[in-house]
Amino acid sequence: LPAAPALAFETFKDTNLGIEFRYPTGLQKSENKLYNVFLKDVIEPLEAVGIRVVDSGRSTLDDIGDAKAVAEKLVADSVPEKAPREILSAVSKTDDRGRRYDIIEYAYQWKFAPDLVAATGRKRFQLHNKAVITVYKRKQYLVVASAEEQNWQSRGDGMLALGVDSFKLLF
């Protein structure tokens, strides 16, 4: 058997935003009005890693509540209102400086835009997402890795999710 190709990863670092994370080689930087940085797969259009940094009136995630409350707010804010949805997990961790990060996994079903209906031959998709969210110095940092549910085991968890798992603040 020939050897499988080695997985390669790149590091994204932005000292202005104060962030760093790793992602699989092959994702292309793309414009997306919801994210400061958006990297997507050119073949699988729903496989992506996005990061959004916004001003926040909050001091910490504790201002929202526990990880479950943060997950509920994130899903309510980011999933289309009528989409069937499920929060799969919500846990908190802290870094070596005591900052809280919530790691949230959720899935939802929605409709393709007309151009993707033509490209995929399907009208609906089930999207699996893993996100990390934190608040620091009145800024909210969100990293989301997404893949269609049927691709999550092979491409999402461990590959795209590396963006979430490797995310760190530089200050």
Side-chain angles (χ1 to χ4, degrees):
L1 291 174
L7 293 177
F9 297 96
E10 296 183 41
T11 298
F12 178 88
K13 184 175 186 176
D14 186 317
T15 54
N16 291 326
L17 291 175
I19 59 165
E20 180 178 297
F21 64 92
R22 296 180 66 211
Y23 63 94
T25 297
L27 296 184
Q28 301 290 318
K29 199 166 187 182
S30 180
E31 291 299 314
N32 186 305
K33 63 184 178 184
L34 298 176
Y35 297 97
N36 300 72
V37 178
F38 189 71
L39 305 163
K40 74 176 191 170
D41 189 285
V42 293
I43 297 169
E44 294 288 345
L46 295 179
E47 292 183 7
V49 177
I51 182 156
R52 182 171 58 220
V53 180
V54 296
D55 291 329
S56 173
R58 299 180 178 99
S59 299
T60 70
L61 289 175
D62 295 333
D63 295 345
I64 299 169
D66 63 9
K68 185 173 185 252
V70 171
E72 289 168 355
K73 176 125 180 67
L74 172 64
V75 169
D77 290 349
S78 59
V79 173
E81 189 176 333
K82 294 180 181 182
R85 64 194 66 192
E86 179 183 10
I87 296 171
L88 304 169
S89 68
V91 296
S92 294
K93 70 174 188 172
T94 54
D95 67 9
D96 56 358
R97 296 182 62 188
R99 296 178 291 208
R100 178 178 148 193
Y101 295 77
D102 286 356
I103 297 94
I104 299 152
E105 221 168 317
Y106 60 101
Y108 69 94
Q109 185 180 67
W110 200 234
K111 301 174 253 184
F112 277 118
D115 60 326
L116 288 176
V117 169
T120 64
R122 297 181 291 133
K123 293 183 179 182
R124 299 193 157 277
F125 61 88
Q126 174 88 16
L127 199 64
H128 191 119
N129 304 275
K130 185 174 183 181
V132 61
I133 186 168
T134 191
V135 174
Y136 182 66
K137 292 193 175 182
R138 301 221 175 259
K139 288 208 180 284
Q140 178 175 290
Y141 299 83
L142 172 68
V143 180
V144 181
S146 303
E148 283 194 84
E149 188 64 52
Q150 70 267 20
N151 296 339
W152 183 254
Q153 289 295 70
S154 63
R155 295 265 310 142
D157 198 25
M159 288 184 66
L160 295 168
L162 180 68
V164 170
D165 298 336
S166 67
F167 172 76
K168 65 181 178 180
L169 294 174
L170 297 175
F171 37 76

